[in-house]
Each structure stands twice: as structure tokens, then as C-alpha cells.
Amino acid sequence: MPSSWAISWSKNDFPYSPVSTLPAIALLGRKDQPTDAVEEYCRHLSQNMQAHGIQLDIRRVPWELHGWSASLDALRLMATQWRGRWVLVQYTALAWSARGFPHRILRVFNILKTAGARIGVVFHDVGPFPASGLRAQIRRWIQLRIMRKILSRADLAVFTVPIAKIDWLSATPPPNAVFIPVGPNLPVTASSSVSHQPPTVAVFSITGGDDGVRETQTIVSAVRFASQKLGSLRLSVFGRYSRMREAALREGLRDTSVELSVEDVLSGEQVARRFCDSDVLLFVRGGISSRRSSAIAGIACGLPVIASASSETAPPLTDAGVVLVSLDNQEELNAALVRVLSDSPYRQALAARSRAVYEQSLSWPIIASSYAARLRVDPGTS
């Protein structure tokens, strides 16, 4: 089989004991560009599963490169080796469909069932896309129908937000459902409690399209206001679509005492350094949630986070140093940013809460342990 058809690591890449090893597969759809957060998630999970004697290899169904027929034939061939093995199917609607109509993931499940694999599904999209037109409403209905079907067929369903926050589940959650938050897709380094000069605001990624325009305006308004109250500031914007918004950011902050730094996609190590050089993370990409790795990355690096709430916002994130505001209320956001940057004891208390929640609930060793507890259960007792 051509090497381009699958991503995997040699068992020599991560030492483990052959006696205790439980083999498992993380199965992905098409690769996202320019970065693939789901692949990064699986890579970190694989590394941390080693401590539990679980060898998690990564495979893809690269339908966007080879077409569905050939890709499913290749999956069928690979799956002949997976009888009794856990296969964790990573679900986002766009990973399994170009336009968000992921019908063919049901064929993937059929192949895995026929091969005798134990199927887990990880819902990175925990709900269907928001709908505003007829086509979008049809797509939403189809996505919800498919999600319910794969939930009913899976031996294990991992949701990345608390089960109680998922409105399409029944009041009594299915016994195969479990909540495991995502972790930070970066190497976490020791954070510094020292204030930076000038005070630095971090923004990690901006959304594309019209949402990105609104996010940029929100960022500019908040940082302009804070600079008027506090003087010199630094705004560090990095990650996906940041370069696309650079001109609007510079124009919006013209004639202010704000030093602006804009960088595109960075390595995990570079992202961690940017966070450790900052005083607060301004998260304006919708409501904060335990499935948003970009927000969790800031928490992991010990930063206070200013964000808005959504239907998915819940502990453990609300126990971290998160200041919840309404993004529709610019004055509330402005005031929150000024207070975090100007009140050192308050900022340090928020930072301490972020570090504590990361260590207790959001670190990769904790996440891997939660997976291991499920994957190690004897089939006869689950």
C-alpha cells in the first residue's frame, strides 16, 4: 500500500513494553490545511498513551486524494488486521465530506464492524453546523441524523464538551458516552508570573470570512481602549488567518501607542513562547469551550483568558482563570481587558487558577489516563 495512504509512527519512535501493549488506531478523514488540529490532537494523545501501555497508531482515509471508492477499498484491506482492536474514528463533518454532508462515514463504520473492530468515535464537532438558510437547515438535519447513527453503532463515544451540554442527546445519556476535553496542541512550558513591559495581549488565530471581520473589529476596539487608559501596549496576533487581518489591524490601531506583531501559523514550541511572553489571552472566536484547543493552549501556559460564554461553556474551563464577558457588549470587554492588565494581584490569581485547572483536568497525561480507563475495560464488562 502506498505510504501516502496512511500516517503512522514506527513502534520504535516511542518505547513501550510489548508484553503490556494494547494496540489501537486513530482513524482520520481528510487532512485539514494549513494546520490539522485533529491530527495534532491524535499525535499528542498517542505520545501520552504510551505510559498506559497503549500503542495508538494514526491512519487516514484520504478520500480527497484518491476518491471514496479506492480509499474505502484500502480501508477494508487495512481493517483485516484490526479484529478486536480499538479504532477511534475522529469525527468532524468536514473531515468526511467536502461540503459537510458526511454520509460516507456510515460506510466507514460498516467496514470496521465487518472487520470485527471495537469502534470508538471522538466527536470534535459535538453538534451540527449552525443553520440560517434552507440548504444549511437540510445540512444540519443530515449531520444530526448521521451523528445519532454513529453514536448508536459505536462501542465508545467521546464528547469533547460535557454530556449535559449536548442538546441533541436524551436526558439519560447513552452508556457508551463519556466526556474527555481536548488538550493543548503544543508543548507546555513553565509560565512566568512576571508582568511584561509593555503589557502584552495575545490573540491566537482569527476566523476566516465575515466572522473574522467582526473579530478583528472587536480586538481593535478593546486594545485601542486599553491603550488609551494604560498607555503603551503590545498586541501579539498569531496563527491561522492572522496575516489576512494584518492590514485591518494596523489601520485600526494607527495613531495609538500599541506595538503590533502579526505572525501566521507557528510551531507548537513557538506558540508556547508567544503565550509565555504575554499577560492575557483575548479569545473572541465565539464562546469558550473544552473543545477549543486554541483557548486551552492559553490556559495551559498559565494565562488569564478573556472570552464569552456559549451553550458549551462549563467546568473545568469556568474554574480556570477565565473572565467571561459578552462579545456583544464592547464596553464590558474593554473594562475586563483594562482590569486584567492593570490589576496585578487579580491577574496573578487568574493565572494561578489557569495553571491549576490545566494540571488537574486539561493536561495530556490526564486526558490519556481517561482514555486508558475506557480502552482497558474488558469487552465482557463494558
Side-chain angles (χ1 to χ4, degrees):
M1 187 178 301
S3 61
S4 62
W5 284 57
I7 292 179
S8 65
W9 283 280
S10 163
K11 61 185 179 181
N12 294 322
D13 290 340
F14 305 113
Y16 65 95
S17 167
V19 174
S20 62
T21 294
L22 175 70
I25 300 294
L27 188 65
L28 287 72
R30 70 170 174 177
K31 187 179 181 69
D32 198 9
Q33 298 291 346
T35 59
D36 192 321
V38 174
E39 182 184 319
E40 286 293 302
Y41 170 94
C42 292
R43 182 170 63 83
H44 286 287
L45 183 60
S46 175
Q47 291 170 340
N48 284 272
M49 289 284 235
Q50 296 296 321
H52 300 276
I54 298 175
Q55 177 69 26
L56 181 68
D57 292 325
I58 298 178
R59 299 287 187 270
R60 283 191 182 275
V61 180
W63 55 267
E64 80 283 12
L65 299 176
H66 305 291
W68 272 105
S69 180
S71 296
L72 291 176
D73 285 344
L75 174 64
R76 195 172 289 109
L77 179 61
M78 285 192 294
T80 60
Q81 306 298 315
W82 297 347
R83 176 167 295 277
R85 183 178 302 190
W86 276 107
V87 179
L88 303 178
V89 181
Q90 309 296 309
Y91 175 83
T92 69
L94 292 178
W96 301 99
S97 165
R99 295 178 176 83
F101 295 91
H103 296 283
R104 290 183 177 90
I105 195 172
L106 299 176
R107 294 182 64 186
V108 170
F109 267 62
N110 288 340
I111 290 171
L112 297 176
K113 281 288 187 184
T114 301
R118 301 182 69 193
I119 305 177
V121 57
V122 183
F123 286 103
H124 296 276
D125 285 347
V126 298
F129 292 173
S132 57
L134 178 60
R135 178 180 172 85
Q137 290 175 5
I138 293 172
R139 180 174 63 182
R140 177 184 174 85
W141 180 83
I142 290 172
Q143 287 176 359
L144 194 54
R145 179 171 175 268
I146 291 171
M147 293 171 77
R148 284 182 169 135
K149 281 192 173 185
I150 60 179
L151 171 63
S152 68
R153 297 180 186 181
D155 298 293
L156 173 66
V158 175
F159 290 92
T160 51
V161 302
I163 304 296
K165 291 291 184 177
I166 302 170
D167 58 10
W168 56 271
L169 292 180
S170 62
T172 303
N176 64 336
V178 60
F179 163 53
I180 303 178
V182 304
N185 286 343
L186 48 81
V188 176
T189 57
S191 57
S192 172
S193 59
V194 177
S195 300
H196 299 90
Q197 291 299 328
T200 301
V201 180
V203 173
F204 184 17
S205 298
I206 299 177
T207 310
D210 293 339
D211 288 340
V213 173
R214 290 190 291 272
E215 290 169 17
T216 302
Q217 293 170 344
T218 298
I219 294 164
V220 165
S221 296
V223 175
R224 280 189 69 96
F225 180 86
S227 71
Q228 292 168 358
K229 295 292 184 180
L230 305 176
S232 297
L233 297 178
R234 184 170 182 270
L235 174 62
S236 177
V237 183
F238 49 91
R240 202 169 187 174
Y241 298 122
S242 295
R243 287 290 189 192
M244 181 186 299
R245 307 300 174 190
E246 181 173 7
L249 288 166
R250 293 199 180 279
E251 176 60 26
L253 295 172
R254 189 162 52 91
D255 301 327
T256 68
S257 56
V258 177
E259 174 190 344
L260 174 64
S261 169
V262 180
E263 300 171 283
D264 214 333
V265 176
L266 302 175
S267 69
E269 292 80 2
Q270 290 172 317
V271 171
R273 285 198 294 270
R274 299 300 180 274
F275 278 137
C276 289
D277 290 337
S278 301
D279 297 284
V280 62
L281 170 61
L282 186 58
F283 184 84
V284 296
R285 300 179 63 200
I288 194 168
S289 163
S290 52
R291 67 182 178 91
R292 305 299 294 270
S293 60
S294 54
I296 290 174
I299 292 172
C301 290
L303 282 183
V305 181
I306 298 175
S308 67
S310 72
S311 60
E312 298 176 4
T313 305
L317 259 65
T318 50
D319 297 326
V322 177
V323 181
L324 293 175
V325 299
S326 172
L327 294 183
D328 295 329
N329 187 333
Q330 187 70 49
E331 291 183 358
E332 184 182 5
L333 175 60
N334 295 350
L337 182 58
V338 169
R339 184 183 178 193
V340 170
L341 292 176
S342 62
D343 188 338
S344 181
Y346 176 60
R347 183 175 63 255
Q348 291 177 8
L350 292 172
R353 285 169 51 189
S354 286
R355 288 191 292 270
V357 167
Y358 165 70
E359 292 169 359
Q360 295 165 8
S361 304
L362 301 173
S363 69
W364 281 110
I366 295 294
I367 291 168
S369 179
S370 297
Y371 269 97
R374 290 291 180 143
L375 302 189
R376 284 290 187 185
V377 171
D378 186 278
T381 63
S382 60

